[in-house]
Amino acid sequence: MNRFSRTDDSRFRQELDDALQASATAAAEAQRLRSALDAVQAGIIIVDAKGVVVVRNHAAVLGGHADLLVNDVVGRLVEKARAGEAAEERLNLFGPPIRVLSVRAVPLPDGGILATIDDLSERARLDAVRTDFVSNISHELKTPVGALALLAETIMDSDDLEMHQRLASKMVDEAHRAAGTIDDLLELSRIELGGQGERDDVSITAVLRDAAARQGLTAESFGVAVEVSEANGLMVKGNRLQLVSAVSNLIDNAVKYSNRGGVVRVAAGSSDGAVEISVADRGVGIPARDIDRIFERFYRVDRARSRDTGGTGLGLAIVRHIATNHGGDVAVRSREGEGSTFTLRIPIEEH
C-alpha cells in the first residue's frame, strides 16, 4: 500500500522549490560579492583556517613573475598572521613598469587570514616628483641668485671698468635665468589653476606660425632652421594662447637639443578625431631611461646642456598640462643620437 499521500507530495515539492530558490539566491549573492570584490582596486586574498585560498579578486592577479613574488610575500605574512598579529611588507617590482606594492595580512575571527595588496606606485611617483620639485626649485633659484651676489661683490672690490662691463653682462644673464624660471613657474601655475580658460575656434595654421615666430630669435642664435608645414585648414575648440605656448615650448626644446645647422620640422594633421601637431628634430635624442620622466617639472636629460642653453626644465611640464586641459595628450618617440618627435594630440569637437 502506497502511504505517500498527495499532501506529502505537495509538501515535498514545496520544500524542493524552497531549497532551489534558496540555492539560487545564495548563488546570486555570491556572484554579487565576487563582482563587488573584483571592482575593488586593492588586491584581496582570503585564506581559510586550513591555509587554502578561498577568494582572490582580479586586482590580486598581477600576472607573470610579479605573481610569484607577491605570492611568496603573502605566504610569509599569512604565517605571521596565524600567530594573531597583523603583518605588513613593502614590495618593489622593478618592471618595467616599476611598481610599489604594500602587502598586509590580518587574522580573521574564524581562524582565516585576509591579505590585501595596495598599489602605491602612483603615490611613490608623486612623492618623488614632489621631492625633486622642492630640490630643483631651490637649486634653480639659488644658483643664479648666488652668482649675482658673487658678481656684485667682485664689482664692488674692483676699479677695472672693462671688468665691470664683463661682469655686468654676466649679471644680466643670471638675472634673466632667474626671471625665466619664475615666469615659467607662474605660467605653469596659471595653467594648472585656471584650466583651459576661454574656448574659441582656433586655427592650427595660426598656432604653428605664431609658435615658430616666438622661437625665431632662439633658433637663429642656435643656428637651427624651423620649417612649418601648412595645417590644411584644421581647427580645434580651445584656448589659443595656451596652444601657442605648448607648441612654442616644443619648438624651443627641439631647437636647444638640435645640432648647429639642424632643422626642426613642425607639421599638423588629423587622425581618429583629433588634431596631431608634431615637432621633430634630428638632434641628440633622449635616452630610453629618461623617456617616462621628461614631462615632470625640472626634470632634465642633460643638466649641463640645459645650463648652457638656458632651459628651466619646465617647458615640457607646461606642454603636458595644456594637453590635459584640452582633453588631449602629448607623446614622444626618440632614439639617442638620432633625434626626437613630440606629438601633441587635441580632440576635434563636433559642431
Side-chain angles (χ1 to χ4, degrees), residues 202-206 208-209 228-236 266-270 275-276 348:
V202 179
S203 164
I204 297 301
T205 295
L208 302 190
R209 288 176 177 173
V228 179
S229 299
E230 287 295 322
N232 299 320
L234 290 174
M235 304 284 291
V236 295
V266 185
S270 60
V275 167
E276 294 186 343
I348 300 174

Side-chain angles (χ1 to χ4, degrees), residues 18-34:
D18 290 345
L20 291 174
Q21 181 63 37
S23 177
T25 301
E29 289 177 351
Q31 183 57 45
R32 280 197 293 271
L33 178 60
R34 164 61 65 180

Side-chain angles (χ1 to χ4, degrees), residues 77-328:
L77 297 184
V78 165
E79 290 304 315
K80 292 180 180 179
R82 287 185 185 281
E85 295 184 4
E88 187 172 1
E89 188 171 323
R90 191 179 177 105
L91 179 62
N92 295 310
L93 302 177
F94 295 101
I98 295 175
R99 298 182 70 180
V100 180
L101 305 177
S102 175
V103 185
R104 178 178 170 82
V106 296
L108 298 175
D110 63 356
I113 304 295
L114 169 66
T116 58
I117 305 167
D118 291 312
D119 193 335
L120 307 180
S121 305
E122 183 63 14
R123 190 184 309 171
R125 188 190 71 81
L126 291 175
D127 286 343
V129 170
R130 188 179 299 110
T131 300
D132 286 347
F133 175 77
V134 173
S135 173
N136 285 320
I137 189 60
S138 299
H139 172 77
E140 293 300 328
L141 293 179
K142 183 178 179 179
T143 300
V145 170
L148 284 170
L150 181 61
L151 291 168
E153 289 173 1
T154 304
I155 289 176
M156 290 174 60
D157 294 337
S158 172
D159 296 326
D160 188 334
L161 181 59
E162 183 178 347
M163 179 184 289
H164 286 183
Q165 292 176 336
R166 186 170 66 252
L167 295 182
S169 176
K170 290 183 178 181
M171 290 179 68
V172 171
D173 291 340
E174 294 296 338
H176 285 164
R177 178 180 172 185
T181 299
I182 294 170
D183 287 343
D184 280 352
L185 277 172
L186 291 173
E187 182 174 6
L188 184 57
S189 178
R190 282 194 298 268
I191 292 168
E192 288 179 331
L193 297 177
Q196 188 175 337
E198 295 184 6
R199 294 161 54 87
D200 296 300
D201 290 325
V202 179
S203 164
I204 297 301
T205 295
V207 168
L208 302 190
R209 288 176 177 173
D210 288 354
R214 278 193 185 187
Q215 299 302 323
L217 290 176
T218 300
E220 183 179 349
S221 66
F222 279 85
V224 175
V226 177
E227 296 182 354
V228 179
S229 299
E230 287 295 322
N232 299 320
L234 290 174
M235 304 284 291
V236 295
K237 197 82 170 179
N239 184 288
R240 179 179 173 280
L241 291 178
Q242 286 192 18
L243 292 175
V244 170
S245 176
V247 178
S248 177
N249 274 294
L250 289 178
I251 296 174
D252 178 70
N253 186 75
V255 165
K256 290 178 178 177
Y257 285 88
S258 290
N259 299 314
R260 182 166 290 275
V263 178
V264 171
R265 291 181 170 83
V266 185
S270 60
S271 175
D272 297 328
V275 167
E276 294 186 343
I277 301 172
S278 65
V279 178
D281 66 73
R282 301 290 293 175
V284 298
I286 304 168
R289 67 178 181 276
D290 296 304
I291 289 288
D292 292 336
R293 299 196 61 188
I294 58 174
F295 294 101
E296 296 175 8
R297 300 173 185 177
F298 292 114
Y299 189 83
R300 295 196 182 107
V301 174
D302 185 343
R303 290 187 176 276
R305 188 181 184 106
S306 295
R307 191 162 51 246
D308 293 338
T309 59
T312 64
L314 292 169
L316 293 181
I318 291 172
V319 174
R320 182 187 62 182
H321 280 288
I322 291 174
T324 300
N325 285 349
H326 286 76

